[in-house]
Amino acid sequence: MRIINKDADFISDIYKTQNNAKLGDLGQSMIKYEDEIYIAVSGSNYLTKLNAAGVELKRVSFVSDNDFSAGIRYIDAEDGYIYASFYGGAVAKINAKTLEVVDKLTGLGDNLEGVAICEDMLYVANSCTADWSTQHTDVKVIDLRTFKLKELLTVGLNPNALIEEDDKVFLISWGNYGDVGYSLQMIDPAANNKVTELGSATRMCAANDILYLVNSLTDWNTYTTVNTFFTYNIKTGQMNNASFLKDAPAELTSSTLYMLEVNENNGDIYISTSEFTTNGTIYRFKKDGTFIEKFDAGHGSFI
């Protein structure tokens, strides 16, 4: 197991180093599946497969496909297939080895965002249109055994991020940046996809029965941000409002956060900050929240 820390060799653009080319416009989401890396590049509208060293093995472009032309967004994988959401209301089923599109669903909404797989079902967030003129409150549930739409779930306004942990699906809805704020919800497939409101959060990750959360509140009059860190125990159903961080650097309470992840192997927690004008910073904590170190991660470390 490789531990990511400040002693590791730092390459600011591993894709360019390994492939003698830039990745493209807007690397939106990335997953590891069966020892290979898959990246959805939204602006350039393609999916690429890399080996563990960052060397591109294959890619598929969606630019010329009218159903997918609005852009790929988020991806998940199961049983040899990559499932991808697209702006324009489409979902693709893609062979993970060949990157061939083997099936598609269209007409599912406006701008589809986060995806998560749980119990042979694909959960897909249907978010707002790009100009926010049309906003939605639904998550699509697709049966992967038939690749057909099974049902619609009513959720918070403008659903976005989805993750699976302990046979539950967790969702963050964005609200409207006005009178409706961010909303954290839990979808329980074992209870007929019951949706439960858990509170407010802006980013999340999960491992070992724990949902790690941060709620970032920004006062746009003063451009000041306050970050609150907390956890949810999935097994007990208990929210712990105490911060899961210990001796955290003071700047983390007010920095702009773009990543919250946990290493499932050893429980290390990683938080990144990025303001697009300076190099990103990664903060690393032990499983018990003890601060270990921070290190430079290059410009824009926010995927």
Side-chain angles (χ1 to χ4, degrees):
M1 179 185 67
R2 179 70 180 270
I3 302 298
I4 302 173
N5 59 35
K6 66 182 179 182
D7 297 323
D9 293 335
F10 176 72
I11 301 173
S12 62
D13 192 335
I14 183 66
Y15 183 89
K16 183 177 181 181
T17 299
Q18 297 292 66
N19 298 283
N20 196 31
K22 299 292 286 184
L23 178 63
D25 179 18
L26 189 56
Q28 180 64 35
S29 55
M30 177 170 61
I31 63 171
K32 175 180 174 291
Y33 180 61
E34 295 185 344
D35 298 323
E36 292 171 330
I37 300 166
Y38 296 81
I39 305 175
V41 186
S42 183
S44 299
N45 198 14
Y46 71 86
L47 176 69
T48 182
K49 178 171 70 171
L50 317 177
N51 66 18
V55 176
E56 184 172 84
L57 304 175
K58 198 171 185 64
R59 73 163 63 182
V60 57
S61 173
F62 306 105
V63 173
S64 61
D65 189 318
N66 289 336
D67 293 324
F68 300 146
S69 61
I72 189 172
R73 298 298 290 170
Y74 289 89
I75 51 178
D76 204 348
E78 186 166 279
D79 295 334
Y81 295 99
I82 306 296
Y83 296 93
S85 65
F86 287 80
Y87 277 174
V91 171
K93 179 179 181 180
I94 303 165
N95 185 297
K97 291 188 179 297
T98 66
L99 296 192
E100 175 190 5
V101 177
V102 298
D103 209 345
K104 65 174 70 172
L105 287 174
T106 60
L108 296 177
D110 286 309
N111 289 341
L112 303 184
E113 291 284 8
V115 298
I117 295 172
C118 184
E119 300 294 322
D120 292 320
M121 299 292 163
L122 178 69
Y123 294 77
V124 185
N126 180 28
S127 197
C128 62
T129 53
D131 62 1
W132 289 76
S133 61
T134 302
Q135 302 180 49
H136 298 286
T137 58
D138 61 284
V139 164
K140 316 289 183 177
V141 184
I142 298 167
D143 189 332
L144 295 184
R145 294 163 295 194
T146 61
F147 202 58
K148 302 294 184 184
L149 179 65
K150 180 183 178 183
E151 63 181 306
L152 304 180
L153 306 180
T154 300
V155 298
L157 186 66
N158 293 325
N160 186 267
L162 285 163
I163 62 172
E164 183 276 337
E165 180 74 8
D166 284 350
D167 297 328
K168 304 287 195 305
V169 177
F170 295 90
L171 163 70
I172 291 178
S173 293
W174 279 1
N176 60 10
Y177 295 104
D179 60 318
V180 180
Y182 281 80
S183 172
L184 171 69
Q185 299 138 86
M186 180 179 70
I187 302 169
D188 188 355
N192 296 316
N193 282 325
K194 178 183 178 182
V195 180
T196 302
E197 177 79 27
L198 298 179
S200 180
T202 52
R203 291 195 178 270
M204 62 181 171
C205 64
N208 303 314
D209 307 329
I210 300 296
L211 189 67
Y212 296 89
L213 301 153
V214 62
N215 194 34
S216 297
L217 297 178
T218 299
D219 183 335
W220 295 109
N221 293 317
T222 61
Y223 291 97
T224 56
T225 298
V226 176
N227 298 315
T228 303
F229 299 91
F230 56 107
T231 57
Y232 177 76
N233 188 307
I234 301 170
K235 291 295 186 185
T236 66
Q238 297 297 310
M239 190 74 74
N240 184 351
N241 291 317
S243 175
F244 55 84
L245 304 180
K246 299 177 182 178
D247 303 319
E251 64 266 24
L252 272 184
T253 62
S254 58
S255 297
T256 302
L257 305 184
Y258 280 97
M259 182 189 75
L260 175 63
E261 294 292 343
V262 59
N263 184 328
E264 293 184 354
N265 295 307
N266 67 358
D268 279 3
I269 301 162
Y270 294 85
I271 300 170
S272 81
T273 62
S274 179
E275 296 177 355
F276 297 100
T277 57
T278 60
N279 281 5
T281 300
I282 300 290
Y283 297 79
R284 178 184 168 212
F285 298 82
K286 291 182 180 178
K287 182 179 180 179
D288 67 1
T290 302
F291 176 64
I292 301 174
E293 62 184 347
K294 66 177 180 178
F295 51 94
D296 186 281
H299 176 65
S301 57
F302 55 90
I303 285 181

